Amino acid sequence: MSVTIIENDGISIGRATEFDHHDWNDLVERSPQAGVFHYRESLEVQADHADATVHPLVGYKGQEPVGVFPVFETRKGGMTMAFSPAPGLWVSYLGPALLNHRKLKRRKRERRNKRFVRGCLDWIDRRLNPKFTQVRPVPDYRDVRPFEWADFDVQVRHTYSVDLTPGEEDVLMSFSSDARNNIRTDGDYRVYEGGPDEIAAIISQVRSRHDEQDESYGVTPEFVTDLYERLPDGAVRPYACEIDGEIAGGMIALEFGDTVYRWQGGAKHDRDLPVNDLVDWAIMTDAMDRGVERYDLVGANEERLCGYKAKFGPELRSHYTLQQGTRVTNALSSVYQKLR
């Protein structure tokens, strides 16, 4: 069935190109629940590298924007599936992001969230008719009940977040003693923010580590470089640690609003210096200088990795994976999780 703009209890839902009220990126930057992967350029890059079609849904109440919800359409084995974020690219969060909701009292705020989500899901069902749908919102999108009421399975996931607002000395003192000692290590090294060359080196190291563990890894240097070149300056920050003229390790950080994200990198190495600690600390101190308030360590679900991340004294935060499908397509979710 062909669908353009649909109405749901006073809220109009459609693709962003079907409205002329606001620019998509303007809406993204105005939402406290959006992230770097919501940018129009990022959606285009994800669609290209996931071989998917992106549908940037937006909702309006009159001419007031109430939310954005980008969705990717893919076809596998003759079946249509819907994802937010795009599958297989290790994109941490996407999903719905509300606007102009904090001014509302709880009852109206919850009603608006419910109507916006229901309208978007109605658009997805009528336009795409997917056999499987998966959505992973940012941690700041807390009220996922409209998905639960729409018969989505809700899985609680976790991440760590370091509060950067106390300042460098207080943040450092909140770390474990071994983290503090590692950061204070003397040595002949240089940690710096680079570009495409550093991206290629970091992704290559992570891929090699996954190959050693016989695990899939869907991130390519081309994907990250496209994000680096097309997103606003400073949105993608490749940090590298150089020892004896070689890149010993690094981390590709992402930045949006008041948060910097520890995205890709941190591969195990054979150097005597604590490379990963030094890189993480450089990301944090630079972010503090720019007034960034949080360092999201992106993931606190794998037991073997939690010990490293927990030593930075973070807050444990929850977020959600929401999915709906038939028995056959639900089996695909396990494959998708491995692709992540």
Side-chain angles (χ1 to χ4, degrees):
M1 179 179 180
S2 177
V3 178
T4 54
I5 296 174
I6 68 171
E7 299 288 335
N8 185 278
D9 290 331
I11 294 180
S12 303
I13 304 291
R15 291 171 58 98
T17 53
E18 296 167 334
F19 297 94
D20 58 7
H21 303 321
H22 300 89
D23 174 74
W24 175 268
N25 281 355
D26 174 59
L27 297 179
V28 168
E29 292 179 343
R30 288 165 55 183
S31 172
Q33 298 174 338
V36 67
F37 286 111
H38 282 86
Y39 276 123
R40 173 179 55 82
E41 297 85 353
S42 177
L43 299 178
E44 293 169 353
V45 171
Q46 290 178 69
D48 288 344
H49 287 267
D51 191 22
T53 301
V54 61
H55 302 284
L57 300 184
V58 61
Y60 280 94
K61 183 176 177 61
Q63 293 194 1
E64 179 186 22
V66 300
V68 296
F69 189 169
V71 177
F72 293 89
E73 174 189 0
T74 68
R75 290 187 63 81
K76 299 292 183 183
M79 294 186 297
T80 299
M81 294 177 282
F83 293 94
S84 185
L89 299 176
W90 288 53
V91 173
S92 310
Y93 319 115
L94 198 64
L98 303 179
L99 294 100
N100 299 316
H101 62 290
R102 288 181 169 176
K103 64 182 181 181
L104 303 175
K105 293 184 178 179
R106 175 165 294 278
R107 184 181 178 210
K108 289 186 176 180
R109 185 167 66 245
E110 292 186 356
R111 184 170 59 196
R112 178 172 292 189
N113 179 39
K114 179 177 67 175
R115 290 175 176 176
F116 171 65
V117 169
R118 284 185 175 177
C120 290
L121 294 180
D122 188 20
W123 189 99
I124 293 167
D125 286 342
R126 292 165 61 184
R127 177 67 180 268
L128 307 182
N129 190 26
K131 300 300 182 183
F132 177 76
T133 303
Q134 186 175 78
V135 180
R136 192 166 54 251
V138 301
D140 285 327
Y141 182 82
R142 304 302 306 156
D143 188 0
V144 299
R145 290 175 298 169
F147 289 91
E148 188 174 10
W149 295 331
D151 295 326
F152 275 66
D153 293 328
V154 178
Q155 180 183 16
V156 181
R157 307 293 287 169
H158 303 92
T159 187
Y160 284 129
S161 179
V162 179
D163 182 4
L164 303 178
T165 58
E168 185 172 324
E169 186 60 30
D170 287 341
V171 170
L172 182 61
M173 292 307 297
S174 71
F175 294 174
S176 67
S177 59
D178 64 310
R180 294 197 301 271
N181 291 335
N182 287 344
I183 288 166
R184 292 165 174 158
T185 297
D186 292 327
D188 187 12
Y189 67 88
R190 178 172 73 105
V191 178
Y192 65 99
E193 186 178 337
D197 289 344
E198 286 70 24
I199 288 172
I202 293 167
I203 296 300
S204 176
Q205 291 174 351
V206 178
R207 179 174 295 279
S208 295
R209 180 60 176 164
H210 279 77
D211 288 344
E212 292 172 3
Q213 299 174 327
D214 196 27
E215 296 178 347
S216 62
Y217 184 63
V219 183
T220 65
E222 293 77 15
F223 171 54
V224 182
T225 299
D226 281 352
L227 291 173
Y228 176 80
E229 292 178 344
R230 296 188 60 182
L231 286 171
D233 289 345
V236 180
R237 298 181 179 272
Y239 277 80
C241 180
E242 185 180 79
I243 301 174
D244 297 329
E246 295 183 354
I247 296 177
M251 178 62 59
I252 298 165
L254 305 173
E255 189 168 317
F256 182 87
D258 63 2
T259 304
V260 61
Y261 299 86
R262 185 185 195 270
W263 186 40
Q264 298 296 317
K268 188 176 180 180
H269 56 85
D270 57 2
R271 302 283 183 163
D272 292 333
L273 288 171
V275 171
N276 292 332
D277 298 69
L278 297 170
V279 170
D280 277 311
W281 183 237
I283 295 171
M284 284 186 259
T285 52
D286 285 357
M288 283 184 261
D289 289 342
R290 294 190 299 272
V292 176
E293 298 179 359
R294 293 186 296 185
Y295 186 30
D296 187 330
L297 298 178
V298 184
N301 301 296
E302 294 188 39
E303 185 176 0
R304 65 183 179 85
L305 299 179
C306 287
Y308 174 81
K309 295 181 178 182
K311 67 183 181 181
F312 295 118
E315 171 194 2
L316 183 65
R317 303 188 72 200
S318 61
H319 60 101
Y320 303 93
T321 294
L322 316 161
Q323 62 185 41
Q324 182 186 67
T326 65
R327 286 185 178 180
V328 173
T329 54
N330 278 339
L332 294 173
S333 67
S334 61
V335 177
Y336 177 55
Q337 292 298 333
K338 292 178 181 178
L339 288 175
R340 287 201 63 251

